Amino acid sequence: MTKTLKAEDKIKEAARSLFIEKGYEATRTRDIAEKSGINLALLNYYFKSKSQLFEMIMLETFQHFMKGVLSTLNDPNTSLTEKLEQFVDSYIDMLMSQPNLPYFIIGELKNKPGHLLEIIQQKETILQSVFFQQLRAKMPDTSPQASMQILVNLTSLTIFPFLAKPMIKGISHMSDPEFKKMMLERKKLIPKWIKMILDN
Amino acid sequence: MTKTLKAEDKIKEAARSLFIEKGYEATRTRDIAEKSGINLALLNYYFKSKSQLFEMIMLETFQHFMKGVLSTLNDPNTSLTEKLEQFVDSYIDMLMSQPNLPYFIIGELKNKPGHLLEIIQQKETILQSVFFQQLRAKMPDTSPQASMQILVNLTSLTIFPFLAKPMIKGISHMSDPEFKKMMLERKKLIPKWIKMILDN
DNA sequence: GTCTATATTCCGATAGAC
DNA sequence: GTCTATCGGAATATAGAC
């Protein structure tokens, strides 16, 4: 499978892995070439420059990320409670298997806010998602900003612990398995907490 | 005030500002020299190398950060509720005036987990803080891990929105003042939410 | 399309005058 | 202590053979 990739795709996969792991500045084109098993010159042949290769990968990664978010938040066949549970469950699984992804997205979104706004704002999909409709129906008396606060809470409680993993482990003297156990426990707790906030 | 700094301190201040803004890899020693108004050679004269300068700044910054956390969490004269309110209030103020700080701390803690554990673990101060004692007194029937979950929630709800600021603004079409207003509103909301979780 | 060899730019660090 | 000038290496990018 991986062996049958064309050179162009081999480069892209190696670059994606390295950019996500180490960031743009710390990634060397030589390392991308070596990891992909192809020659350094081919990188420039196919992608013109390191920065253009990075741009392409960042856009793809971010679009894939947003697509994943929306697939859960836009499901018309699940209740609000089910969406909360699915969101937390699938995101915690994803973050456990790809721990560097949030650093990458958060970090790059800081450096290049402009580019990605276009993707976020395309058709205003999140604000108009089924999730948001269900949220507003549940909180009819509050301001529109109130449902945004709920989404911020949901993502904060889910994603931030993975960003703060080194600090959490240091403060509480946790091992890796203990940290994992704590995050699995949050799968049940976060939806419960969000519902408490909603029902306040 | 700033004008009377010695060359050594001018370099350090410029370096701190640039490292926090752009990270280690993206910061050029030439930029540090230019920003501090001194010569590039002096950087190596005083600090030997870019990496040693960075090490020093990171340690100082992180120690200062931890000191701030502890000064609130360790106050014997405030109740648990007051600590929650003070923590959120002072951290949101801090994050509004130093928006790049969390990126720096989170990012560098990922790259060099080893160094900083020593600082975090010094005397195990957070686990033994007054805040934690008050937390455990409030939740006597739960596991020790449960109070750690509360601290994770508190920091997640407070810090993550600033890391995700570009995404939040993009999704909800917020201006900078509107984002600021949203964060000020969270000053009241977060302590309320945490107390709800505690009283569940 | 793919490689080798090389050009070019950039950056951290230092030598040496003052 | 501070500066000018420069070194030496590393990293990106390209030229040109195959």
Side-chain angles (χ1 to χ4, degrees):
Chain A
M1 215 39 174
T2 315
K3 280 238 163 190
T4 63
L5 284 178
K6 290 175 186 171
E8 187 174 355
D9 294 321
K10 287 192 206 169
I11 297 171
K12 223 157 95 175
E13 281 319 301
R16 184 192 318 278
S17 152
L18 286 170
F19 280 142
I20 289 179
E21 178 191 344
K22 303 155 77 105
Y24 177 75
E25 297 282 348
T27 296
R28 306 295 155 215
T29 53
R30 279 175 172 76
D31 297 336
I32 298 176
E34 191 188 355
K35 178 156 191 168
S36 59
I38 56 87
N39 191 274
L40 171 58
L42 282 203
L43 190 151
N44 296 79
Y45 175 75
Y46 282 117
F47 301 98
K48 182 67 186 169
S49 73
K50 178 190 177 185
S51 62
Q52 281 189 233
L53 172 57
F54 179 76
E55 188 80 6
M56 177 176 307
I57 286 173
M58 199 181 57
L59 281 176
E60 286 183 8
T61 303
F62 192 69
Q63 271 172 329
H64 182 261
F65 172 80
M66 291 298 286
K67 193 178 163 190
V69 177
L70 281 170
S71 74
T72 298
L73 298 189
N74 235 348
D75 187 338
N77 299 316
T78 53
S79 68
L80 182 57
T81 296
E82 287 167 335
K83 279 189 185 57
L84 293 174
E85 288 165 355
Q86 277 183 22
F87 182 94
V88 173
D89 185 74
S90 62
Y91 264 81
I92 286 182
D93 282 344
M94 190 257 275
L95 291 164
M96 287 194 303
S97 66
Q98 297 181 267
N100 285 321
L101 196 57
Y103 292 99
F104 178 76
I105 291 180
I106 290 292
E108 294 307 328
L109 222 55
K110 170 201 168 205
N111 296 333
K112 349 232 175 184
H115 299 169
L116 304 167
L117 287 188
E118 305 158 14
I119 302 176
I120 302 178
Q121 292 175 341
Q122 62 188 4
K123 300 186 178 177
E124 315 187 356
T125 29
I126 289 202
L127 274 191
Q128 298 175 347
S129 65
V130 178
F131 174 75
F132 254 86
Q133 296 170 25
Q134 291 171 321
L135 255 189
R136 281 191 290 262
K138 177 103 182 180
M139 337 165 47
D141 301 333
T142 57
S143 77
Q145 301 287 21
S147 23
M148 195 62 201
Q149 296 275 24
I150 300 296
L151 179 63
V152 170
N153 291 349
L154 178 63
T155 51
S156 298
L157 293 172
T158 305
I159 299 172
F160 184 78
F162 288 91
L163 294 170
K165 176 178 175 182
M167 200 175 308
I168 293 172
K169 284 181 62 181
I171 289 177
S172 63
H173 308 97
M174 260 185 239
S175 64
D176 259 322
E178 286 169 332
F179 179 81
K180 184 178 175 182
K181 191 183 163 195
M182 186 182 190
M183 293 307 115
L184 289 177
E185 203 180 347
R186 289 178 79 80
K187 280 190 177 186
K188 300 175 199 159
L189 293 172
I190 293 174
K192 194 182 77 176
W193 292 329
I194 296 290
K195 277 181 277 184
M196 285 174 46
I197 291 174
L198 276 172
D199 294 333
N200 77 333
Chain B
M1 215 37 172
T2 313
K3 280 237 165 191
T4 63
L5 285 177
K6 291 174 185 173
E8 187 174 355
D9 294 321
K10 286 193 206 167
I11 297 171
K12 221 158 98 175
E13 282 319 301
R16 186 191 318 279
S17 152
L18 286 170
F19 281 141
I20 290 179
E21 178 191 344
K22 303 157 76 107
Y24 177 75
E25 297 282 349
T27 297
R28 309 292 156 217
T29 53
R30 279 172 171 79
D31 296 336
I32 297 175
E34 191 188 356
K35 178 155 191 168
S36 60
I38 56 86
N39 191 274
L40 171 59
L42 282 204
L43 189 152
N44 296 81
Y45 174 76
Y46 282 117
F47 301 98
K48 183 66 185 171
S49 72
K50 177 190 177 185
S51 62
Q52 279 188 234
L53 173 57
F54 179 76
E55 190 79 6
M56 175 177 308
I57 286 173
M58 200 181 56
L59 281 176
E60 285 182 10
T61 303
F62 193 68
Q63 272 173 331
H64 182 261
F65 172 81
M66 291 297 288
K67 193 179 163 188
V69 177
L70 280 170
S71 73
T72 298
L73 298 189
N74 236 346
D75 188 337
N77 298 318
T78 53
S79 67
L80 183 57
T81 295
E82 287 166 335
K83 279 189 184 59
L84 293 174
E85 288 164 354
Q86 278 183 23
F87 181 93
V88 173
D89 185 73
S90 63
Y91 264 81
I92 285 182
D93 282 343
M94 191 256 277
L95 291 163
M96 286 193 305
S97 67
Q98 298 182 268
N100 285 323
L101 196 58
Y103 292 99
F104 178 76
I105 292 180
I106 289 292
E108 294 306 330
L109 223 54
K110 171 201 168 206
N111 297 333
K112 349 231 175 187
H115 300 169
L116 305 167
L117 288 188
E118 304 158 14
I119 304 176
I120 301 178
Q121 292 174 340
Q122 64 188 1
K123 300 186 178 177
E124 316 189 355
T125 28
I126 289 201
L127 274 190
Q128 297 176 347
S129 65
V130 177
F131 173 75
F132 254 86
Q133 296 170 25
Q134 290 170 321
L135 255 190
R136 281 190 290 262
K138 177 104 183 179
M139 337 166 45
D141 301 332
T142 57
S143 77
Q145 301 288 20
S147 26
M148 195 63 201
Q149 295 276 23
I150 300 298
L151 179 63
V152 170
N153 291 350
L154 178 63
T155 51
S156 298
L157 293 172
T158 305
I159 300 171
F160 184 78
F162 289 90
L163 294 170
K165 177 177 174 182
M167 199 174 310
I168 293 171
K169 285 181 61 182
I171 288 177
S172 63
H173 309 97
M174 259 184 240
S175 66
D176 259 322
E178 285 169 332
F179 179 81
K180 184 179 174 182
K181 191 182 163 197
M182 186 184 190
M183 294 307 116
L184 290 177
E185 202 181 347
R186 288 179 79 80
K187 280 190 177 186
K188 300 175 200 158
L189 293 172
I190 293 174
K192 194 182 77 175
W193 292 329
I194 296 289
K195 276 181 278 183
M196 285 174 46
I197 291 174
L198 276 173
D199 295 332
N200 75 333

